[in-house]
Amino acid sequence: MASPTDRASRLRQNLQTLLDDYQRQLHTLLPLRQLVKGSVYDLRTRCGKASCHCASDKGPLHISTVLSWSEHGKTRLRTLPPGELAHFRQLTENYRRFRQARAALVKLHQRIVAHIDRLEAALQLPPPKPASRRRKT
């Protein structure tokens, strides 16, 4: 079985590795300057006009590129202009990367705190034994 000193040393090394991982996740998150929550995708719909090509079962549907996001429990859609597609795809990708890095940081933080608790337990000494009492005679 490892001595308390060896265990504390290993915990310090593990803690340093976790801190390095934490720093890498921060470097992923910090450069992102603009974010847009949601997803960009092509929405295919029927317009509802009886004379339109989309009215038949085999006719092509109308396609519009939209930004979709959830707000107060409701899905919202916004049609995007063709010139803004690449920009909004990048912004939604930034949001996805930001949220993934944030989730990783939360998990790492929990692991770091657990390692700190274990390090504290490994370093902690028991309280001193009570001093012997002499009886007065």
Side-chain angles (χ1 to χ4, degrees), residues 60-79:
L61 300 176
H62 297 283
I63 300 172
S64 58
T65 305
V66 296
L67 171 68
S68 171
W69 74 97
S70 178
E71 187 176 280
H72 304 295
K74 294 181 95 174
T75 300
R76 306 287 185 185
L77 293 176
R78 192 77 77 236
T79 303

Side-chain angles (χ1 to χ4, degrees), residues 44-62:
R44 299 171 193 285
T45 59
R46 298 186 195 282
C47 68
K49 293 181 183 176
S51 61
C52 184
H53 62 80
C54 71
S56 80
D57 289 338
K58 294 184 181 181
L61 300 176
H62 297 283

Side-chain angles (χ1 to χ4, degrees), residues 32-41 66-80 87-100 102:
L32 300 171
R33 297 289 180 218
Q34 294 180 322
L35 316 168
V36 172
K37 179 182 177 181
S39 300
V40 176
Y41 62 93
V66 296
L67 171 68
S68 171
W69 74 97
S70 178
E71 187 176 280
H72 304 295
K74 294 181 95 174
T75 300
R76 306 287 185 185
L77 293 176
R78 192 77 77 236
T79 303
L80 298 174
H87 180 66
F88 275 97
R89 280 197 172 102
Q90 182 61 54
L91 292 176
T92 56
E93 175 63 20
N94 287 353
Y95 179 80
R96 188 188 63 76
R97 287 180 32 224
F98 186 93
R99 294 296 294 187
Q100 286 176 340
R102 181 191 180 282

Side-chain angles (χ1 to χ4, degrees), residues 77-134:
L77 293 176
R78 192 77 77 236
T79 303
L80 298 174
E84 296 289 318
L85 297 181
H87 180 66
F88 275 97
R89 280 197 172 102
Q90 182 61 54
L91 292 176
T92 56
E93 175 63 20
N94 287 353
Y95 179 80
R96 188 188 63 76
R97 287 180 32 224
F98 186 93
R99 294 296 294 187
Q100 286 176 340
R102 181 191 180 282
L105 284 169
V106 168
K107 287 180 183 177
L108 278 169
H109 185 79
Q110 291 169 341
R111 290 178 62 199
I112 288 169
V113 169
H115 269 71
I116 290 171
D117 291 345
R118 286 196 289 277
L119 180 60
E120 177 185 15
L123 295 174
Q124 194 168 25
L125 298 174
K129 294 184 181 191
S132 63
R133 292 187 174 179
R134 294 186 185 191

Side-chain angles (χ1 to χ4, degrees), residues 12-31:
R12 282 189 195 96
Q13 289 171 353
N14 291 341
L15 193 55
Q16 187 59 54
T17 301
L18 289 171
L19 289 172
D20 292 342
D21 291 345
Y22 199 90
Q23 188 70 26
R24 276 191 291 279
Q25 287 298 331
L26 274 177
H27 284 301
T28 300
L29 183 138
L30 293 177

